[in-house]
Structures are given as structure tokens and as C-alpha cells.
Amino acid sequence: MRFVFLLLSLVGLLPSLIISQEIVTYHSGGVNQTGDAFVHVFMEINLATCEYEELLVMEIPLGERPFGLADVGIAPDGFLYGMDSFEGLYKIDLQEGEIVNSWPLPFGIQYGGMIINAEGLIILSGQDGRMATFDIASEEFTDLGMLDDDFPGRLTLSGIAKYRDRLFGS
């Protein structure tokens, strides 16, 4: 019975703990109703209320490569950045709904996750534990190397997140 009470207490506290937390996510909705374009929807989700706001809907004409974004985020410069695991990093104007710049991903590996800090540095996680950064201001990638070479097996982070000034990976 104490466990149930404790669990209910924690559930009651949960909204107050995450009240200011919002995430930006991306959904590929398949082909549009007219059948001539791929639909990509970018949303911001309030974790406390589970409500969402549609930030942008982009349609990529059939015949062009659709996005295969592994992760997205909004940077301090107000632009949305999306990372395609194999192809590149994209800078997207939320007001115009257009890609305004793109950069090929470096070091010849597949990337799985990214996070953008308050200074405009994008941290990328890649296969075999490789980490890299992209500085939005200088538009330069930096190889940070591999995570713990002594880890048994292959350590690949498919997602990264920041919480209380610590970086976590999964």
C-alpha cells in the first residue's frame, strides 16, 4: 500500500517537475493527399501537458530525396537544425519553411543523435562511440574522438540529451 501511495505521489509531482520542458520532434507523414510530395511535420511538444504545436510542415516533391532525419533541434539563432544520419546537417528557416544551408557530415560515419547547447554548438553522436561538434557561428566540424576505447563491444549512441548540465546517451 505504501508503494502505491508513493507512486501516486510521484505521478502527482511529475507535471511540476517537467512544467518547463519542451521538445522539438519531427515526423515523416508519408505522401501528401495529391500524391506528388513527401510530407514532413516538425512539432514542439510540451511534456507537462502533452500538448503540441505544429512548427512547420514541409513538402518535398516526389523524385527528390525525402528527409531521413535522425534528430532535430532549435538553436539559439532561431533556426531549426536537422541531422540526416548519412547525408548531412540542415539549417531550416521555420518562418519560410525552407532549407537555407546544409553541410555534409564529416569523418565518414553514420550519426544517430544531436543536441544543441546555448552557445550554438551542436554535439553529434555517431557509430562506434565517435563524437563530433558543429559550431554554428564558424560552420566548422570538430572530431572529439571515440568514447572509452576499453568499452567491451561497440558503443553507439543513437540519442543524446542534456539534463542538469550533464550529457546522457542511449
Side-chain angles (χ1 to χ4, degrees):
M1 186 65 166
R2 266 189 219 164
F3 175 73
V4 173
F5 178 74
L6 178 61
L7 183 61
L8 291 173
S9 298
L10 289 174
V11 169
L13 286 175
L14 189 59
S16 64
L17 294 173
I18 62 173
I19 196 75
S20 65
Q21 296 292 320
E22 294 178 337
I23 60 171
V24 175
T25 189
Y26 150 83
H27 171 69
S28 179
V31 178
N32 66 1
Q33 291 180 346
T34 57
D36 60 355
F38 292 102
V39 178
H40 302 284
V41 181
F42 297 88
M43 298 173 284
E44 185 173 56
I45 301 173
N46 182 320
L47 295 176
T49 63
C50 293
E51 295 175 350
Y52 72 92
E53 175 186 351
E54 215 170 73
L55 297 174
L56 174 65
V57 176
M58 291 180 75
E59 292 191 0
I60 309 294
L62 291 180
E64 291 183 23
R65 184 182 183 280
F67 284 137
L69 299 179
D71 212 344
V72 295
I74 296 178
D77 64 5
F79 287 94
L80 180 88
Y81 287 81
M83 179 197 55
D84 183 309
S85 294
F86 297 100
E87 294 293 318
L89 186 64
Y90 300 95
K91 180 179 182 178
I92 302 168
D93 185 325
L94 286 168
Q95 304 302 316
E96 300 296 323
E98 297 177 355
I99 297 170
V100 294
N101 209 343
S102 66
W103 303 268
L105 290 172
F107 315 119
I109 65 167
Q110 178 183 357
Y111 290 87
M114 69 173 224
I115 189 166
I116 306 171
N117 73 12
E119 290 78 38
L121 189 69
I122 299 175
I123 303 166
L124 305 165
S125 62
Q127 72 187 53
D128 295 337
R130 182 164 301 282
M131 302 289 291
T133 61
F134 177 77
D135 186 302
I136 292 171
S138 68
E139 298 185 359
E140 291 183 3
F141 287 95
T142 301
D143 184 9
L144 299 179
M146 307 266 293
L147 295 173
D148 196 357
D149 290 336
D150 295 329
F151 191 83
R154 296 169 55 136
L155 179 62
T156 298
L157 300 178
S158 59
I160 54 177
K162 185 177 178 183
Y163 178 70
R164 293 187 179 176
D165 294 326
R166 294 180 68 191
L167 203 57
F168 293 86
S170 64

